[in-house]
Amino acid sequence: MSTHTPPRAAPTPGAARPVRLVVVSAGMSEASSTRLLADRLTEATRDALGPAPVRITRVDLRPLAHAITDHLLTGFPAPDLGEALEAVSGADALIAATPTFKASYAGLFKSFFDLVEEDALEGLPVLVAATGGTARHSLMLDTALRPLFAYLKAFVLPLGVYAATEDWAGEELQARIRRAGAHLAAQLAPGRAPDAPAAGETPAGAAVPPRGDVFADVPDFADLLARAGQ
């Protein structure tokens, strides 16, 4: 399974066709934190794109739950579900948000992407996001969501967003949302740099310092062993 699929070519600057941004949310209630996170990521991406024309399609999976099950059993999608799958397949970029259940994505979320056509997401820039009751499940971005979209040959952005219940009370979550939106916008508008990284972070694409520079002050291990034997 490759995690290095190159992203699709970005829309040509100045082209009449707007950027097609599709937002899939698997929130389990009418007003869910997952939908709220997806909406804020959408706004951050839209803001970061500036004056570029954007067509946003929101796909809420909760109203499609029965149609998704029927399609899995019969092989035929209902009209609303067919439109949702077509929107995802024709997107220029995707924001995918799910609640966390048992340290993984929601079953409804997985079932929907099980119905996406083979190779439909190849090279598609995808920003993954998840919500949960506690921060201890935040690794599900790497253990569940990234492998799913890597298998679908999508280009998963290195920066994802996980929001625990306590995260909504502070400003740090919104800062992470803005930065993630800027990274997705940078994939859609070549030459647009994402926000500057926080202190201590390495900017995306920046050269990693040579190994000798990083470990210049680390004692030689063989020398330590020799000293221990004295």
Side-chain angles (χ1 to χ4, degrees):
M1 177 177 67
S2 171
T3 58
H4 299 286
T5 302
R8 295 178 182 175
T12 304
R17 182 177 71 79
V19 171
R20 296 171 297 191
L21 175 62
V22 177
V23 185
V24 176
S25 171
M28 295 292 110
S29 59
E30 290 287 351
S32 67
S33 60
T34 301
R35 171 61 190 264
L36 178 60
L37 178 59
D39 285 347
R40 290 194 178 182
L41 287 167
T42 302
E43 293 170 5
T45 304
R46 181 67 188 86
D47 290 344
L49 283 169
V54 183
R55 187 179 72 191
I56 298 171
T57 302
R58 291 178 171 84
V59 177
D60 291 317
L61 298 186
R62 184 177 182 272
L64 298 174
H66 289 292
I68 290 172
T69 301
D70 290 342
H71 188 4
L72 288 169
L73 296 175
T74 67
F76 298 99
D80 288 351
L81 177 57
E83 291 177 6
L85 292 169
E86 184 177 350
V88 169
S89 299
D92 295 314
L94 176 68
I95 295 173
T98 176
T100 303
F101 291 105
K102 301 294 191 297
S104 187
Y105 35 65
L108 181 61
F109 183 87
K110 176 61 161 58
S111 295
F112 175 77
F113 283 100
D114 282 344
L115 298 174
V116 174
E117 292 186 7
E118 189 75 16
D119 300 329
L121 302 188
E122 184 170 355
L124 181 71
V126 176
L127 171 57
V128 293
T131 57
T134 173
R136 68 190 181 95
H137 293 304
S138 60
L139 284 176
M140 66 84 68
L141 293 177
D142 296 318
T143 61
L145 283 175
R146 293 188 192 282
L148 170 64
F149 287 104
Y151 176 81
L152 294 172
K153 305 183 184 69
F155 176 74
V156 189
L157 268 65
L159 196 65
V161 178
Y162 180 89
T165 301
E166 62 267 23
D167 291 335
W168 296 98
E171 295 295 326
E172 192 267 343
L173 174 60
Q174 188 58 34
R176 289 192 282 124
I177 287 172
R178 286 195 299 268
R179 186 157 183 248
H183 275 255
L184 184 57
Q187 291 295 326
L188 295 170
R192 180 181 297 276
D195 290 343
E201 291 184 318
T202 300
V208 177
R211 183 179 180 86
D213 292 342
V214 176
F215 297 100
D217 297 326
V218 178
D220 182 75
F221 189 61
D223 182 54
L224 291 177
L225 288 176
R227 293 180 187 179
Q230 290 178 355

